[in-house]
Amino acid sequence: MVVLCSSSSSSSSSSSSTNTIIETPDTEVILKEILNSKPTVYILLASMVRFMAGFTIAAWKAPLFLDLFPEQAVSFSVDNALIIAMAGSASTLLGGIAADKLAAAASPPSASSLASRLNIQTNATNSSYSSLPSSSSFPTLNAAQSRLLVPIVGTLLAAPLWALTVYANSFNSASSALLLEYLVAECWFGPAQAALYAALPNPNLRASTQGVFSLLTAVGNLAPVAVGALISTSGLWGFSANTPIRDALLWTVTPAYILSAALFALAAAELGSTEKNLLKS
């Protein structure tokens, strides 16, 4: 895309105008640059799958509880509101704090990595970083990798807790499991976004990448629709019609949590490989 800017100046005796051509990258070029980064792609995919799990729970947990414990409709409404407000908010806040603390304890960024991102090659910077003493608690992890530990662990823990919620024998057990599930599950958002920005090869693409990240919410909303099809008499494209709501939610949300954690782990591994390759170059 080419933008033509013109400017003019005038005086009592003369006037002049100049045209300046500013080239801006096309959308296709921007998307290619974003998607050429493996860590970025893995984080985006992990976030998409995580959105699927979260939106499915948000849409179907009320019908689930009403199906399992129809006499506890009022109690569920109160418990659900408190769980979202307290456990969900606490998880989000504590997840961000934990991720920042892990990043602070991680290995400092290598000079080669910094120089690559800034398109600078300087031996002075390399020598200054190599002389820094390391008191890192995680000597093999960089800051972005350390932050991803939060969504990896939190999402993995959420999988069995959701299974306990779905197959609890009593309302109190189901509500308690849901409370714990929210406490560990909602910690992922801030650390994932921080790692996503760190994974970008070009820091100028943050706004574009945030746009892609936001679009994934639309994809994530397809999961509750699929669950509704499984429960319906027609099924999902003719398959698995009349699936009990308990089974439908167990076999969609739990695998989604596990897959999301695995993709976050792949992103962390790629972030480490990228830094090692920069050090070798």
Side-chain angles (χ1 to χ4, degrees):
M1 182 184 296
V2 177
V3 179
L4 181 63
C5 299
S6 62
S7 61
S8 62
S9 61
S10 61
S11 62
S12 58
S13 58
S14 63
S15 64
S16 62
S17 63
T18 59
N19 293 330
T20 303
I21 297 177
I22 302 174
E23 292 189 3
T24 60
D26 293 329
T27 302
E28 183 180 355
V29 175
I30 293 174
L31 289 176
K32 282 184 177 180
E33 189 170 356
I34 293 172
L35 298 179
N36 277 339
S37 168
K38 284 186 178 181
T40 302
V41 171
Y42 283 135
I43 294 174
L44 289 173
L45 289 175
S47 300
M48 180 187 70
V49 178
R50 178 59 186 79
F51 279 135
M52 289 180 173
F55 292 158
T56 300
I57 291 175
W60 288 103
K61 65 183 172 184
L64 170 70
F65 272 77
L66 290 176
D67 181 69
L68 298 178
F69 315 105
E71 72 284 356
Q72 299 288 349
V74 174
S75 297
F76 169 76
S77 297
V78 174
D79 288 359
N80 184 49
L82 291 174
I83 287 171
I84 294 174
M86 299 178 66
S89 300
S91 180
T92 302
L93 176 62
L94 294 175
I97 293 173
D100 285 342
K101 287 185 177 296
L102 288 170
S107 300
S110 67
S112 297
S113 176
L114 292 175
S116 174
R117 289 180 181 275
L118 297 172
N119 294 320
I120 297 172
Q121 294 181 351
T122 167
N123 293 328
T125 306
N126 286 327
S127 61
S128 63
Y129 266 98
S130 62
S131 63
L132 289 175
S134 175
S135 58
S136 171
S137 300
F138 300 96
T140 61
L141 299 181
N142 58 39
Q145 288 176 299
S146 299
R147 284 193 172 94
L148 283 177
L149 290 175
V150 174
I152 291 170
V153 174
T155 307
L156 277 178
L157 290 175
L161 287 170
W162 176 248
L164 289 174
T165 302
V166 170
Y167 275 91
N169 294 323
S170 68
F171 174 78
N172 288 335
S173 297
S175 293
S176 298
L178 184 63
L179 171 66
L180 294 175
E181 190 270 344
Y182 263 79
L183 277 174
V184 300
E186 299 305 314
C187 64
W188 75 279
F189 193 80
Q193 281 202 316
L196 178 64
Y197 294 150
L200 288 174
N202 183 354
N204 293 327
L205 296 177
R206 287 185 178 181
S208 301
T209 306
Q210 179 62 46
V212 175
F213 185 85
S214 299
L215 284 175
L216 297 179
T217 60
V219 181
N221 274 302
L222 296 176
V225 177
V227 170
L230 290 173
I231 297 170
S232 69
T233 55
S234 56
L236 182 62
W237 295 304
F239 296 98
S240 302
N242 296 314
T243 303
I245 188 172
R246 174 179 272 179
D247 294 339
L249 291 177
L250 175 69
W251 296 111
T252 53
V253 174
T254 305
Y257 273 143
I258 296 172
L259 177 58
S260 178
L263 288 168
F264 278 128
L266 284 174
E270 283 294 333
L271 283 168
S273 299
T274 301
E275 183 165 301
K276 287 179 181 178
N277 290 336
L278 288 170
L279 285 169
K280 291 178 181 178
S281 60

